[in-house]
Amino acid sequence: MSKSVSSNKMFIVLFVVIAMVVSLFPPIGDLPRADAATIKVDGNVSDWSGINALTTHTGTAQSLKVTNDDKNLYLLVEGAGLSTATGHFWLDTDNNPATGYLTSGWGTNGVEWMIENNTLYNYAGDGTSWNWNEIAKLTPEQFFRSASVVEVLIPLATLKIGVGSKIKAGYIDNNSATNRLPAADQTLPEYVLTTEAKAPGAVTTVTSNPVELDSPLNNPFKGWAPSAKTTSYPQPVKLVYAGVTWKELEPTKGKFDFAAIEAKNNFAHWKTKGVKVVFRLILDSPTGEAHRDIPDWLYDEMAAAGENPGTVYNDPTGRMGAGNNMGFSPNYSAPSVIAGHKKVVEAIANRYNTNVRPVAFVQIGSLGHWGEFHTWPYTKTADSTENVNFTGAFPPLNVSNQFVQHYIDAFAGKEDKMQVLIRRSMALATENNKGMKLGMFNDVFGDKPSFDADWGWYTGTQNGYWDDLGQKQPGNPNFWESRISAGEFYSGEFGMKASLTSGAGFDETMRQTEMSKVSWLGPNSPAPLAVGNELQANIDKLKKRMGYHFVLKEVTHPSAITGNSFEVKLTVENKGVQHFPFNWPLEIQLRKGDTIVAKKQPKVDLRTWKTGTYTITESIPVSSLAPGKYDLSVAIVNPETKRAGVDFANKIYRYSFGAYKLASGLEKK
């Protein structure tokens, strides 16, 4: 044995002596010989030809098979260049990871039996100590080894198992970290002992538990959404934010310059990276310089018609933020503004309602400073209680509803490609004549008062609130059940870092994440921070929990492909706080190399997969499948590329095209 083994207890010695007498004194330590064995242990594997591999891998150890009859368990490893000096079989016979030896290099397990070379051992330690009792030496009829085959027979009675039992098995060649079955980091595959003597070729049920990957994933529609104007971020992203002013989009009346704004926001670059855009149309974006964000032609039209174009403001209080205190608040009630706004929103919807899907989310950003549904601060001094509309007048409901309705009219029926979000709860968010329900975004995410107060974002979404104009606004409670929740960190870099710093800041961030089911945050986000920075652990923890996070928990399927269909049972857990936003299909596939030869898309809707566990059972048609060996895989298919588009949080083989291998070497004769 490669490590010291504890001495046999006196009663075990006595037991062996009695057994020797009863069995007419066979050699000490021998196991009972098999009676009428189905498999002959002799290195000739032709009698295994009808039995499919329990697991396969590359390297010296390439295939592990397990079978049984009514008396014995049989194990077979095939490979190339297998060690003829050292090899170990590992058997978990009670399916309890809390008992037995915790073998390293695989997923959680608890092994009761080890076969080292031609010796059988039973574990007698505390789970981590190397403490084994030698039970017996295997005879030549029970153990064969060469550079290409290792074959073993163990009586079921010795292992204290019987027909119907479930066991897990693995093999390590020459103590290797890589030459092992299953591959490193995977879980030991399960084998169910047949209820009667197993004939060669009989099909059994195989269950495996893929090892979970304990890290965040860079998946679509979640995580960080920094500015699209920068083309490189240290932290990985799948979303970017494009805040576009009406002035730059329609510099000439009726002529929309999408080419210019797409170049400015690097649409072509982000397309090559598989990154989607969060689009916000803005009519008033305060900066450090005097300017207007509505088109000049619109301002001139209103002035020529004798209409009030709006309010020029310069906030000296600093309440808007350092350097962000000058701008122009348009007259939202002006008929020309309302009419022009309807046309520009329609143009945005028509531009991006394509199968290319460059824009995933549209934020209603037309009202208030930065499109945040407010024109605060209202007074020139922080301590004033008088509302004098210092930085512009926010429109009453009969006007603001028209702006929101423009989005509903333009984007209704297009939610398979783009989804619309609103910052503040309004009746139109849930009740409108187009049947849309709007998602919501919180642009002061992480700030506790702005979340919890009577006027706060979360309180308002759940219970309704009185807005700044004294209007009662209804709630949009639990909108995240069917739509996306998003936002950005409060107060620039300071607020973002405070929200990610361990202690009260990060605790509050995680509380808001759990309560509001947020999927993504931006443009103010940690995307620009260097990988490995002091906040990285919290960045990763938050990103993993945000949105959806799918883990493959269990896969069950037949050991061979027979008949007209191949039934697969798949269990997936969503460990995120939110569902997947679009109706992308889940696809179970049989592959020959890189080619899909048979597939089935179960009738599941990932938009309904909230936090929790989901089980799918589906049959793949195989009647026309040619004889041969096939792989089983799973993918969530991106309708744009027709390829796998979502990563599962598992340490299993992932094809270059994104699908995940669930089993290999499945034979159809």
Side-chain angles (χ1 to χ4, degrees):
M1 193 174 180
S2 56
K3 297 182 181 179
S4 62
V5 179
S6 64
S7 301
N8 290 332
K9 304 296 184 182
M10 184 61 68
F11 71 91
I12 295 177
V13 176
L14 181 59
F15 174 85
V16 172
V17 172
I18 295 171
M20 290 165 51
V21 173
V22 172
S23 58
L24 298 180
F25 304 100
I28 292 177
D30 275 6
L31 292 174
R33 297 175 184 270
D35 294 328
T38 303
I39 300 293
K40 185 177 182 181
V41 178
D42 57 2
N44 182 348
V45 298
S46 61
D47 47 1
W48 288 85
S49 61
I51 299 171
N52 286 283
L54 197 61
T55 182
T56 61
H57 190 39
T58 57
T60 59
Q62 299 170 358
S63 171
L64 170 63
K65 294 183 178 183
V66 181
T67 189
N68 72 283
D69 56 25
D70 58 345
K71 302 270 187 195
N72 306 303
L73 182 74
Y74 303 92
L75 307 169
L76 173 70
V77 168
E78 293 180 271
L82 292 166
S83 172
T84 56
T86 303
H88 295 82
F89 285 95
W90 306 87
L91 299 176
D92 176 358
T93 55
D94 68 358
N95 290 281
N96 184 358
T99 63
Y101 181 65
L102 302 178
T103 57
S104 62
W106 285 316
T108 302
N109 59 81
V111 170
E112 282 72 43
W113 301 91
M114 176 182 68
I115 305 166
E116 182 181 75
N117 302 328
N118 67 335
T119 306
L120 176 68
Y121 297 92
N122 184 227
Y123 189 61
D126 59 6
T128 57
S129 62
W130 189 258
N131 190 3
W132 299 85
N133 289 330
E134 179 178 331
I135 301 302
K137 299 290 186 185
L138 305 183
T139 69
E141 290 80 14
Q142 295 168 324
F143 180 84
F144 176 89
R145 179 167 61 189
S146 71
S148 59
V149 172
V150 183
E151 199 172 12
V152 172
L153 173 160
I154 305 289
L156 302 181
T158 302
L159 299 174
K160 300 178 183 178
I161 56 176
V163 293
S165 298
K166 294 180 180 180
I167 68 169
K168 294 179 180 179
Y171 183 80
I172 299 178
D173 183 44
N174 200 26
N175 296 315
S176 172
T178 56
N179 293 322
R180 52 175 57 207
L181 294 159
D185 294 327
Q186 294 189 15
T187 54
L188 298 179
E190 184 178 274
Y191 172 78
V192 181
L193 276 67
T194 55
T195 56
E196 58 185 17
K198 177 176 170 60
V203 178
T204 61
T205 298
V206 178
T207 298
S208 61
N209 302 99
V211 175
E212 183 176 346
L213 182 67
D214 186 23
S215 64
L217 304 172
N218 192 36
N219 263 330
F221 315 124
K222 64 168 291 182
W224 319 125
S227 172
K229 294 181 175 65
T230 299
T231 57
S232 179
Y233 290 97
Q235 302 288 335
V237 300
K238 279 292 185 179
L239 289 168
V240 288
Y241 168 87
V244 177
T245 67
W246 188 352
K247 184 174 186 175
E248 60 185 332
L249 180 56
E250 193 181 4
T252 302
K253 185 176 182 178
K255 295 182 179 180
F256 302 101
D257 198 352
F258 283 103
I261 66 158
E262 288 168 9
K264 186 176 182 179
N265 289 281
N266 302 297
F267 272 46
H269 167 79
W270 293 120
K271 180 182 177 182
T272 66
K273 303 296 183 181
V275 173
K276 300 302 182 183
V277 175
V278 177
F279 192 102
R280 186 187 298 194
L281 175 67
I282 302 174
L283 277 60
D284 172 14
S285 182
T287 69
E289 298 179 354
H291 71 287
R292 291 191 299 263
D293 294 307
I294 61 170
D296 291 338
W297 61 261
L298 178 60
Y299 179 90
D300 293 341
E301 275 189 7
M302 288 191 287
E307 297 176 340
N308 172 23
T311 302
V312 176
Y313 60 83
N314 182 0
D315 169 38
T317 69
R319 283 177 286 169
M320 279 188 179
N324 295 331
N325 57 5
M326 303 177 73
F328 181 81
S329 179
N331 178 5
Y332 296 101
S333 299
S336 53
V337 173
I338 296 172
H341 180 266
K342 179 177 176 62
K343 292 178 181 178
V344 73
V345 171
E346 288 173 346
I348 295 168
N350 292 334
R351 173 74 172 185
Y352 299 122
N353 184 38
T354 71
N355 289 331
V356 178
R357 296 172 169 87
V359 173
F361 301 102
V362 175
Q363 294 179 320
I364 297 179
S366 304
L367 297 167
H369 304 323
W370 301 286
E372 292 184 350
F373 278 71
H374 70 83
T375 53
W376 184 88
Y378 311 114
T379 61
K380 293 184 179 181
T381 59
D383 57 356
S384 174
T385 59
E386 183 183 4
N387 185 341
V388 295
N389 296 325
F390 163 61
T391 57
F394 195 82
L397 269 176
N398 66 321
V399 174
S400 60
N401 275 349
Q402 294 182 64
F403 284 81
V404 175
Q405 188 66 48
H406 294 163
Y407 285 90
I408 293 170
D409 292 342
F411 288 93
K414 301 178 177 68
E415 289 187 285
D416 61 325
K417 300 182 179 69
M418 295 173 285
Q419 293 184 9
V420 181
L421 293 81
I422 191 169
R423 189 187 180 205
R424 299 295 293 189
S425 180
M426 300 173 64
L428 285 176
T430 55
E431 303 170 6
N432 57 75
N433 58 6
K434 300 293 183 177
M436 285 179 63
K437 184 169 182 178
L438 304 181
M440 298 194 69
F441 60 95
N442 176 12
D443 274 354
V444 283
F445 186 85
D447 181 61
K448 182 175 173 58
S450 299
F451 192 79
D452 289 336
D454 290 344
W455 49 266
W457 181 87
Y458 181 82
T459 304
T461 66
Q462 298 308 294
N463 305 324
Y465 65 102
W466 292 94
D467 68 17
D468 295 341
L469 302 182
Q471 303 168 124
K472 176 63 177 177
Q473 300 283 11
N476 186 7
N478 303 326
F479 67 89
W480 49 74
E481 294 293 327
S482 60
R483 293 299 182 268
I484 290 301
S485 175
E488 68 168 330
F489 286 109
Y490 74 100
S491 296
E493 184 179 13
F494 165 80
M496 179 267 293
K497 289 186 174 180
S499 297
L500 292 169
T501 299
S502 293
F506 190 62
D507 290 345
E508 177 62 23
T509 294
M510 293 306 295
R511 183 184 75 95
Q512 293 188 20
T513 298
E514 298 297 327
M515 292 178 68
S516 64
K517 318 297 181 191
V518 65
S519 283
W520 49 264
L521 296 169
N524 186 23
S525 76
L529 301 182
V531 173
N533 71 86
E534 61 182 5
L535 300 174
Q536 190 67 57
N538 289 344
I539 290 171
D540 290 347
K541 182 178 179 180
L542 176 58
K543 186 177 181 182
K544 179 181 175 182
R545 186 62 174 161
M546 290 165 62
Y548 64 93
H549 186 80
F550 295 145
V551 183
L552 295 166
K553 302 296 289 186
E554 186 171 274
V555 184
T556 301
H557 57 84
S559 59
I561 302 171
T562 60
N564 295 322
S565 63
F566 184 79
E567 185 173 280
V568 179
K569 182 179 178 182
L570 192 64
T571 300
V572 181
E573 183 178 1
N574 181 6
K575 288 193 170 184
V577 296
Q578 181 62 286
H579 61 269
F580 190 81
F582 295 98
N583 192 20
W584 287 16
L586 179 76
E587 189 169 272
I588 302 173
Q589 309 160 340
L590 286 171
R591 292 180 174 272
K592 191 77 170 179
D594 289 349
T595 303
I596 299 174
V597 296
K599 64 183 181 181
K600 193 70 176 289
Q601 292 183 354
K603 293 181 179 179
V604 297
D605 188 342
L606 299 183
R607 294 172 299 182
T608 67
W609 280 18
K610 306 172 183 67
T611 307
T613 301
Y614 301 85
T615 299
I616 309 106
T617 301
E618 190 58 83
S619 295
I620 305 175
V622 294
S623 57
S624 61
L625 209 59
K629 291 187 177 182
Y630 300 92
D631 293 345
L632 176 67
S633 60
V634 65
I636 296 174
V637 179
N638 182 341
E640 177 187 343
T641 63
K642 310 301 181 186
R643 294 162 65 93
V646 176
D647 288 342
F648 290 94
N650 292 97
K651 297 180 181 180
I652 54 178
Y653 179 77
R654 180 173 177 265
Y655 296 95
S656 60
F657 38 82
Y660 283 78
K661 183 188 289 187
L662 303 176
S664 58
L666 298 168
E667 186 171 7
K668 183 181 182 185
K669 291 191 173 182

